[in-house]
Amino acid sequence: MKTYDWIVVGGGITGAALAYELAIKGFSVLLLEQHASLQGATRYSYGGIAYWSGTTELTRQLCAEGIERHRILSEELDTDTQFRELDLILTIGTDDDPEKVAANYAEFAIPPRLLSVAEACEIEPLLNPDAIAAALTVRHGHIEPEKLTQGYTQAFRRAGGEVQIDRVVELLGTGSKIQGVKTATATYHAAKTVICAGAMSRQLLKAAEIPIRLYFTHTELIETPPIDVQLQTTVMPAEIKRFQLEAQATIPEHDRLWDEPDYEPVPPILDAGAIQFQDGSLRIGQISRVLTAPNAKIDAAQSEANLRAAVGKILPALENLPGKWHHCLVAFSSDRLPLVGALNNVDGAYLFSGFSNPLVFVPSLAKHFASWAAGQEDEVLTQLSPLQL
Ligand SMILES: Cc1cc2nc3c(=O)[nH]c(=O)nc-3n(C[C@H](O)[C@H](O)[C@H](O)COP(=O)(O)OP(=O)(O)OC[C@H]3O[C@@H](n4cnc5c(N)ncnc54)[C@H](O)[C@@H]3O)c2cc1C
């Protein structure tokens, strides 16, 4: 019977990055992903790297380390992550006070600059000048999340890591000791198992009687094929409602209801924005819903119409582009910080999930995790530990 040093469950960006960092530290690692091609949050992500957005010593450090990693990852992984930097435009609605909105960004490591409507439209000619009172702008990183994930996975294999396409149905062991995982057809043993299954991490841990304050949104977007329209920037609202939704959905009175099978703690939100990838395709979004059932039914036609109407107000040229509605689940935590490290009173089980804006953090945090796994003390991980329940 083979016993791996580490099993990594989930091959999205979190699992792929962590598996790679563990493998290059010399651990024997098995990465288990249920789908042969990605279908989770990483597949539909905008790919934005918000390296300007650190507000505390910890998040500023992680942002600075994260952007440094992104700048060299294409070379290190021998792949093209399509890393680039572009302008982010944060739109301010006509009902909002631009100075007040700008003040909310003053604490960021690189505070975005306030633009008049004319200045914003010069940077992003597709903006509707009548729909905004002003905008903020800052340089923003961008990668193709699927390419970065593939790059990590391929580099992981080259470092001796093994990948199995198989669905983990349960963790092996009891609530106090986890010794690997079971799939429908096989049992895999490991000294340590780390859950990187995004939104599905909660269910896997719950089935093993490991409670965790990890939640998920149902996120909806429209993806277009490569198209002639030229969006110069990433466009998002300055007042991102998703963060409010995440905070409200995890207050104590809602928290205990997350184990109910069919519950919607707070109404859905829509943050109107768009990004164009280097191949010319666009992702336009996004609606976020908190429905406790991972497979809850969503009215796709109604959602698509709402998305098109909301984005059409800000970026009229995008409203009627050909494109397809998609839906996926995105994990988040109760305090916008990821949950990374050992789990309460459980030997052999670890978590690396719950990132609200993971793409800037994951590359450096995966490195921190691997160093810590190799025995080094790590101040960063101590601050992100999921132990405090
Ligand atoms: C529309 C949209 C826009 C976004 N924009 C940004 C952005 O600009 N910047 C940013 O930083 N973040 C953004 N995000 C968030 C970010 O993309 C996600 O949080 C991130 O990709 C999540 O990665 P993950 O590895 O945790 O999850 P996932 O990508 O969902 O990966 C989890 C993997 O685990 C696998 N899995 C689950 N259960 C099992 C099981 N039982 N057995 C085996 N495998 C299993 C799944 O198949 C999946 O591949 C966006 C997300 C969306 C949807």
Side-chain angles (χ1 to χ4, degrees):
M1 177 188 82
K2 175 161 186 179
T3 302
Y4 295 92
D5 294 328
W6 284 91
I7 286 177
V8 176
V9 180
I13 184 58
T14 58
L18 187 57
Y20 165 75
E21 296 292 352
L22 288 168
I24 61 169
K25 278 277 177 214
F27 293 110
S28 64
V29 185
L30 172 66
L31 174 62
L32 281 161
E33 163 55 47
Q34 62 185 334
H35 299 300
S37 64
L38 288 183
Q39 296 178 23
T42 305
R43 160 66 184 82
Y44 295 108
S45 178
Y46 288 176
I49 315 280
Y51 68 89
W52 48 274
S53 67
T55 53
T56 61
E57 201 180 317
L58 172 67
T59 53
R60 283 176 186 214
Q61 177 188 341
L62 288 173
C63 283
E65 289 177 5
I67 190 67
E68 283 316 306
R69 291 289 291 139
H70 277 289
R71 289 195 171 112
I72 58 155
L73 272 173
S74 286
E75 196 182 334
E76 178 174 326
L77 303 176
D78 194 17
T79 193
D80 181 6
T81 70
Q82 300 194 352
F83 173 77
R84 61 185 168 142
E85 290 187 54
L86 76 177
D87 292 321
L88 173 66
I89 293 283
L90 296 162
T91 56
I92 300 176
T94 46
D95 294 340
D96 293 321
D97 174 350
E99 299 290 341
K100 243 187 179 164
V101 176
N104 295 337
Y105 281 82
E107 60 179 343
F108 285 87
I110 308 173
R113 187 165 56 88
L114 188 58
L115 300 173
S116 67
V117 173
E119 286 168 328
C121 292
E122 202 172 310
I123 297 174
E124 182 47 76
L126 295 187
L127 278 176
N128 173 8
D130 298 330
I132 57 171
L136 294 164
T137 191
V138 67
R139 293 294 279 174
H140 194 58
H142 189 242
I143 46 108
E144 215 288 30
E146 230 180 329
K147 293 211 185 300
L148 174 62
T149 306
Q150 281 162 5
Y152 267 126
T153 309
Q154 284 157 6
F156 165 67
R157 284 183 199 266
R158 290 195 298 272
E162 287 178 46
V163 181
Q164 288 286 345
I165 302 303
D166 210 347
R167 182 168 172 272
V168 172
V169 290
E170 62 178 295
L171 303 185
L172 184 64
T174 65
S176 62
K177 183 152 182 63
I178 299 300
Q179 293 161 299
V181 299
K182 283 186 188 175
T183 69
T185 53
T187 298
Y188 298 97
H189 293 87
K192 293 171 178 172
T193 299
V194 55
I195 310 299
C196 303
M200 298 314 289
S201 306
R202 183 184 174 95
Q203 271 71 12
L204 271 177
L205 291 168
K206 190 180 162 215
E209 293 173 17
I210 305 172
I212 191 78
R213 294 196 69 195
L214 182 72
Y215 314 87
F216 56 88
T217 51
H218 292 252
T219 300
E220 302 164 46
L221 71 152
I222 295 168
E223 186 174 57
T224 78
I227 234 147
D228 279 344
V229 168
Q230 292 284 314
L231 184 69
Q232 307 289 338
T233 61
T234 296
V235 178
M236 311 239 286
E239 303 221 90
I240 296 179
K241 296 192 199 115
R242 179 167 60 89
F243 296 137
Q244 295 160 22
L245 175 95
E246 291 179 1
Q248 285 163 9
T250 54
I251 58 171
E253 57 257 53
H254 293 317
D255 190 53
R256 61 198 160 78
L257 294 162
W258 271 85
D259 288 330
E260 297 294 319
D262 220 343
Y263 179 65
E264 185 166 21
V266 286
I269 61 91
L270 196 162
D271 284 324
I275 171 75
Q276 188 162 34
F277 284 74
Q278 286 190 9
D279 70 356
S281 66
L282 286 141
R283 289 183 193 161
I284 299 170
Q286 73 186 64
I287 293 175
S288 301
R289 293 175 200 271
V290 276
L291 296 164
T292 58
N295 49 7
K297 280 257 172 304
I298 290 171
D299 181 344
Q302 185 59 58
S303 275
E304 179 170 344
N306 293 347
L307 276 171
R308 287 185 181 278
V311 172
K313 275 192 196 143
I314 305 285
L315 297 159
L318 308 190
E319 181 166 357
N320 294 315
L321 291 178
K324 217 175 140 202
W325 176 90
H326 293 278
H327 159 258
C328 62
L329 303 178
V330 182
F332 68 93
S333 71
S334 58
D335 62 2
R336 290 183 58 187
L337 287 174
L339 293 163
V340 170
L343 291 165
N344 234 6
N345 300 325
V346 194
D347 256 10
Y350 300 77
L351 184 61
F352 190 76
S353 191
F355 296 77
S356 269
N357 256 326
L359 297 176
V360 67
F361 289 164
V362 166
S364 72
L365 265 184
K367 247 182 141 42
H368 279 278
F369 190 106
S371 300
W372 172 75
Q376 270 180 29
E377 293 231 344
D378 194 290
E379 266 304 302
V380 165
L381 288 208
T382 315
Q383 297 173 69
L384 302 175
S385 165
L387 289 180
Q388 67 282 9
L389 262 182

